[in-house]
Amino acid sequence: MTNKELAELMFPNITKTIEDLEKEYPERGENVTVTRFAPSPTGFMHIGNFLSVVIDYVIAKRNNGVFFLRNEDTDQAREVEGAVEYIMHVLDHYKFNPDEYEIKGGVTKGNYGPYIQSERKDIYKVFIKYLISEGKAYPCFMTAEEMAEIRDNQAKAKVRIGIYGKFAKSRNLTPDEAWERIQAGEQYTVRLKSEGNFNHTFIFNDLANGEMKLHENDNDTVIYKSSTELPTYHFAHLVDDHLMRTTHVIRGQEWMASVPVHYELFKTFGYKMPKYVHTPLILKKDGDQIRKISKRKDPEARMTFYEENGYPIYSVIESIMTIANSNYEAWRDGHPDAEFTEFDFSAKKMSPSGALYDLDKLDNISKNYISRLTKDQVFDFLDEWSKEYDKEFNEIINKDVDYTKAILNIEREQKKPRKDYAKWSDVKPAIWYMFDELYNPEEFAWGKINNMDEIKSIVTNYVENYYNPDDDKETWFNRIKELTESMEGYTSNMKEYKENPDAFKGNVADVSTCIRVALTSRDQTPDLYEIIRLLGKDRIVERINNLK
Ligand code: GLU
């Protein structure tokens, strides 16, 4: 039996040829940039995946290219329920809408599909059949136990681990022997009959990591499994990125080690390799240490973290762009209003040794961003977030939208706005005291004036004699000064006070603090004048009456 006959027996239903497929999926055109996000639905999306998506998207958009989504579900045993839906959700949430994609059992957009690997079985088989018929791949019957034994022996003998050379036991089976075993019902894999020589090197140019000298692959790598009729990642990468005409593969650093296999696979078929960007590992500062960010230990490694906490999409994307390219922040300073896709991303400016991700930095970016939003924008974002993550608060802020917006507008829409919200979950803890439904003071942080009779007399005096809802800010402050002066043992003259603080019960700032704490139970708040104005007389009187 010839190899060709073996291939025919193994895949009798595969009648298409590679040439047929080449015609079905033609080149997309000379200068079309094509990137793809190709997640495996074996877990929930993490920040490393997200870094790849951002780069995929920026590269495609910068070049008016195509960005497509491919579901790499070949490892079906490890598939996690809901993972695909979550990936789609994240893309939608951050507005990284793929130009081409497929929803299982639903729509397909694009002419290069199917975009779900488990639906591409027959396509892969065309390529596998070809390799077998050319004698460039072979069925392998090694069991897991046999392979484990080889690995152990190699480790003991301190030789390179792998199925190469003499360790590739099925490599020299004749087509007849192979067919006999297949017919006997033995499970098999298909392995590439590697022609590489580990002692030879080749030059690989990674856009982020630069030029590298790598050893050739000489492993008879598994490319297909009869048990699932699906290819391994390596082979699917070759077939899919070739037929889908991907020009740039952006993927995690962990795939770097597989480059020699991919290099050999592309060479075997005479295909041009796409350009590669192996993204850096995302690192985190942990005490004095810098370590790899961990999905298990670090909540911020999971993409759910950002949505649950209510980080604006702008802030998250910005923080990722700053780790993607070292000159992004400088560019942003000069282009505060530009879209991030206008930035001239260069893979060369990535940091191959690892990218340090820092939540403080994200908070900073986000505080600046939110501070520049209008009260209407802030309200809309807060409304949208709280609808999902804090229903009670959502109802409260919607009872009197104008009141809520006025609160959100304290020290906003001005030249130097207040920067106290990094995420929407920061809002409630900052303004809860403005809402009767939430006002339930537990502990008062009284300042210098902390005698309850004294406090009550100050605030009552304020409401009865010095409060006027129509005052402008200056008049309001002058009245607080007058109130201070009117009381025995207090002064509004700070100079006088500082010269001899023990001679006074308090100064004008202490009196303000006293009013602030009495009304909000907080000793730190945004502008007290605005707070008093917004609370209004009824609330003020009620809170004063309830002082305990
Ligand atoms: N499915 C692979 C992963 O999730 C894709 C890597 C790639 O982008 O090629 O790691």
Side-chain angles (χ1 to χ4, degrees), residues 106-370:
V107 293
T108 299
K109 202 173 156 236
N111 297 326
Y112 287 80
Y115 296 92
I116 300 177
Q117 288 185 331
S118 59
E119 294 175 11
R120 299 175 61 78
K121 283 183 177 171
D122 284 354
I123 295 179
Y124 302 122
K125 285 179 190 170
V126 170
F127 288 80
I128 296 286
K129 184 174 180 180
Y130 165 81
L131 284 184
I132 293 191
S133 69
E134 292 292 307
K136 293 183 174 180
Y138 62 90
C140 168
F141 302 92
M142 267 197 272
T143 61
E145 293 73 38
E146 276 176 284
M147 283 188 287
E149 197 186 322
I150 292 175
R151 204 178 313 118
D152 289 349
N153 289 339
Q154 288 171 332
K156 268 187 222 135
K158 296 204 166 52
V159 298
R160 249 187 326 117
I161 306 287
I163 304 300
Y164 55 89
K166 65 175 185 208
F167 302 110
K169 285 196 189 162
S170 298
R171 187 177 167 118
N172 297 318
L173 292 177
T174 64
D176 289 280
E177 286 166 331
W179 181 238
E180 209 170 289
R181 292 177 74 165
I182 292 174
Q183 276 206 307
E186 269 189 64
Q187 287 285 8
Y188 65 93
T189 59
V190 174
R191 285 183 187 270
L192 174 73
K193 202 169 204 173
S194 174
E195 289 171 15
N197 179 339
F198 186 76
N199 296 321
H200 292 173
T201 54
F202 66 98
I203 299 291
F204 176 72
N205 201 342
D206 181 278
L207 294 188
N209 298 263
E211 226 175 65
M212 275 171 286
K213 207 188 228 184
L214 303 175
H215 288 277
E216 281 182 11
N217 170 64
D218 65 351
N219 259 280
D220 283 2
T221 307
V222 174
I223 55 180
Y224 176 87
K225 294 179 181 170
S226 69
S227 57
T228 55
E229 294 184 71
L230 282 166
T232 55
Y233 166 74
H234 308 299
F235 202 68
H237 161 46
L238 164 91
V239 172
D240 294 350
D241 285 319
H242 174 68
L243 288 182
M244 295 179 179
R245 311 296 174 181
T246 306
T247 59
H248 293 69
V249 167
I250 290 101
R251 63 182 182 188
Q253 193 64 226
E254 67 275 17
W255 292 112
M256 195 68 223
S258 304
V259 166
V261 177
H262 302 162
Y263 179 82
E264 183 172 11
L265 284 171
F266 277 85
K267 207 167 91 179
T268 302
F269 285 91
Y271 298 154
K272 187 168 173 244
M273 280 185 111
K275 295 191 168 85
Y276 290 84
V277 176
H278 286 94
T279 57
L281 283 179
I282 300 190
L283 309 174
K284 170 191 168 102
K285 222 173 165 183
D286 184 359
D288 297 339
Q289 256 193 346
I290 290 188
R291 61 164 171 82
K292 196 179 149 196
I293 204 162
S294 143
K295 250 168 112 173
R296 205 167 34 80
K297 282 194 241 164
D298 308 311
E300 72 270 30
R302 282 179 258 126
M303 290 314 290
T304 44
F305 170 84
Y306 303 92
E307 261 187 86
E308 281 164 12
N309 283 287
Y311 279 101
I313 65 171
Y314 174 92
S315 316
V316 180
I317 296 172
E318 282 293 293
S319 73
I320 293 294
M321 286 300 286
T322 62
I323 62 167
N325 251 192
S326 51
N327 56 332
Y328 184 76
E329 274 179 279
W331 173 83
R332 177 52 89 197
D333 286 345
H335 304 81
D337 300 319
E339 287 287 326
F340 71 98
T341 44
E342 290 170 47
F343 172 69
D344 205 2
F345 174 84
S346 159
K348 283 197 192 73
K349 297 208 172 81
M350 298 196 81
S351 137
S353 57
L356 190 62
Y357 192 66
D358 178 353
L359 275 186
D360 290 340
K361 178 81 156 270
L362 167 66
D363 282 354
N364 232 333
I365 290 172
S366 205
K367 281 181 180 170
N368 275 310
Y369 166 68
I370 294 178

Side-chain angles (χ1 to χ4, degrees), residues 4-16 122 125 129 179 182 188 224 229:
K4 202 164 178 339
E5 284 160 348
L6 174 63
E8 209 48 65
L9 286 169
M10 285 172 73
F11 299 102
N13 300 326
I14 298 301
T15 51
K16 267 191 194 167
D122 284 354
K125 285 179 190 170
K129 184 174 180 180
W179 181 238
I182 292 174
Y188 65 93
Y224 176 87
E229 294 184 71

